[in-house]
Amino acid sequence: MTRTSIRLAAWLVPCALLLASMIAFADASGVRAWLDRDTMQLGETVTLNVEAEGGSSAQPDFSALAQDFNLTGTQSSQQISIINGTRSAKTLWAVGLEPKREGRITIAPIAVGNARTEPIQLSVLAQAAGTQAKPGGDVFLEVSAEPLTPYVQQEVRYIAKLYYAFDLTDGNLGEPQADGIGVQRLGQDKSYVATLNGRRYHVVERHYALTPERSGAIAIPALAFRGTALDVTDPTGFFSRGRSVGARSDPMQLEVRPKPAQWTDSNWLPAASLLLKDETELPSEIHVGDPVTRTIRLQAQGLGFEQLPELSLAAPDGAEVYPDKADTRTRDDGEWLYGERVRKFAFVPNRGGTLTIPGLKVQWWDTVRDRAETAELPPHTIRVLPVAGSAASAATSTGTVPASNAVVPGIAQIAPSPPAKAAAPKRLRVWRALAILGFALWLITLALWWRSRRVMPIAKAAATVLPDSSSQRAAFLRACSLSEFAAAERVLVAWARAERADVRNLGELVARLGDAVQRDALVDLQRARYAGASPQGLATRLTQAFKGGIAWRDRPVPQASASALPALYPERD
């Protein structure tokens, strides 16, 4: 190496070191950080701003802040300006900080690429109890709960009210949470304006239903609100980003009482009110096989439907009961929960006499009067007549009983003999014997004539009613009473097959019916099921048409013995 090159190297090395130090100084001086305020109260939020010149693509490292703060959100923006042909750029980051403790906190330097900000000091003052839960400040929260000493599983009405005296661009209000309590929000938020101590506030009111699941003391932590307010004093500052605001309510505590010692029922129902209602008007008289439906509604104020007991009615003597699936729901009116259970019970009497539809009792605890109550539906008695059209039904309706010498259609009447002389009894017995014999021969002749008219291929199978025909009939009438037309069609075809084994579907059944009323009812059933016709009144028509049984034709509709079309694949010899 020559002496000249040595001198050149000795000159370049200091210059390079000087240039590096200048670049480092420029980077350090191009990044700065500041707080929107340096003194605050515990429970409030503060905004840390970090600005880098030159449009740096590096992101600040905020991980060191997690030790002393809760980070509530980060925003960024970029500003580019050209002045006298000179271009400059700035990038700004803003992060919301919620201190975890009170005292003096040092915010450590924030690294942005190779540059670092200067440390910042923040004073966090202790929050006085109830400071932000009272009127006077820019924003505060009020909460209330009723009752503070509820029974276990009783609804507690919890209300939160947020007051703010400026415009908010966004905000987040926390939910009440505590171990051993179920929380359900009620209705929609209410917004209105209120004036307190001469100052006008916007108010947001929110309602909750709290359900304590255990007895004892349950603490409900304070609610917190975090939001952003417009700064009217500097509408263009920080690109109109606004300033962070917050509020915190006072915590609350519930003293939950257990079930009263005098309560013995297994279903604990603490409600403000309870309704047990029969929504159907039960008749006083029906016929055997006619279904009667009892619809029962149970509704409780202050309980969800999950807390209500199942509705059940036992089958009374002389009838079958078919309970429908319960319809359940929970609704609210913005202040109270209303749990409901609705269930239908179809009773089908299988013999005449007196039918007693059973009643129902529900024990519940009146939380308003603090005492046990009983809601009750009384039993209902119905007179059951024989099947309409039978001889017993006619006798019952007229109040008379057929005598041994009643008029029989088609038979000449034998007039009673007048009082005879002492020698006449023997002749009278002979004539009576001849009359009985003639009547018996007439019955035999009538039976043979009726049999001769039955020309079905399998007479015995067609004339015999299978053992399950009566149960299918009861199921069909039940389905009609509940307006379940798909089930009614399915059961009716099964009922018809029990009496006529060759009936395969509803169309074949219509062709086999001998009663026009039944045929018209089934045609309307098909229209309602497959053509979109209105089913109004269809259930009553089907019940009235088939309650006396299926009216078959005397003769089946003749069918072609062979197809009129030639065989698709004729057999080859």
Side-chain angles (χ1 to χ4, degrees), residues 207-424:
H207 290 246
Y208 298 90
L210 309 184
T211 305
E213 299 169 352
R214 59 175 176 84
S215 59
I218 298 181
I220 303 177
L223 291 188
F225 169 75
R226 297 288 178 268
T228 304
L230 292 177
D231 190 351
V232 296
T233 62
D234 186 14
T236 60
F238 190 45
F239 314 113
S240 301
R241 185 183 53 84
R243 63 185 179 91
S244 298
V245 294
R248 186 179 296 269
S249 70
D250 288 333
M252 305 189 70
Q253 181 164 305
L254 302 179
E255 296 294 336
V256 184
R257 294 177 287 172
K259 293 186 292 186
Q262 63 268 33
W263 184 264
T264 58
D265 194 270
S266 59
N267 295 312
W268 169 241
L269 300 176
S273 65
L274 187 138
L275 172 67
L276 183 62
K277 182 180 179 182
D278 190 342
E279 296 194 331
T280 52
E281 184 176 351
L282 298 177
S284 60
E285 184 177 276
I286 59 175
H287 289 85
V288 172
D290 290 348
V292 57
T293 302
R294 188 168 206 178
T295 303
I296 298 178
R297 177 183 297 274
L298 177 62
Q299 176 182 289
Q301 180 184 359
L303 297 175
F305 81 86
E306 303 90 346
Q307 299 171 264
L308 302 181
E310 291 287 346
L311 300 176
S312 60
L313 295 178
D317 292 337
E320 298 292 335
V321 60
Y322 300 92
D324 199 6
K325 183 180 179 181
D327 182 16
T328 59
R329 68 166 181 163
T330 298
R331 60 179 181 87
D332 69 84
D333 61 359
E335 295 184 2
W336 288 96
L337 292 174
Y338 292 89
E340 291 183 350
R341 283 188 180 272
V342 180
R343 198 173 191 184
K344 295 182 180 181
F345 300 85
F347 296 87
V348 181
N350 50 34
R351 58 180 171 84
T354 300
L355 173 63
T356 301
I357 303 296
L360 183 64
K361 290 184 178 181
V362 175
Q363 300 281 343
W364 64 288
W365 189 267
D366 188 344
T367 58
V368 177
R369 299 176 177 83
D370 200 18
R371 67 186 185 189
E373 298 286 354
T374 301
E376 182 177 0
L377 287 180
H380 185 81
T381 301
I382 299 176
R383 182 187 179 193
V384 181
L385 304 177
V387 177
S390 65
S393 175
T396 305
S397 61
T398 58
T400 60
V401 179
S404 59
N405 61 347
V407 177
V408 180
I411 301 296
Q413 300 303 302
I414 307 298
S417 302
K421 299 180 180 179

Side-chain angles (χ1 to χ4, degrees), residues 1-12:
M1 179 178 295
T2 63
R3 183 178 298 178
T4 303
S5 61
I6 293 174
R7 290 179 179 177
L8 181 60
W11 180 79
L12 290 176

Side-chain angles (χ1 to χ4, degrees), residues 186-198:
L186 303 179
Q188 301 294 326
D189 291 348
K190 301 176 182 178
S191 300
Y192 52 91
V193 177
T195 301
L196 300 177
N197 296 331

Side-chain angles (χ1 to χ4, degrees), residues 27-28 30-33 48-52 56-65 93 107-120:
D27 286 342
V31 176
R32 66 188 185 99
L48 172 64
N49 302 292
V50 178
E51 184 183 68
S56 175
S57 60
Q59 296 293 321
D61 183 9
F62 295 121
S63 59
L65 300 174
W93 295 271
I107 298 178
I110 305 298
V112 183
N114 296 326
R116 302 175 71 87
T117 64
E118 295 293 330
I120 304 175

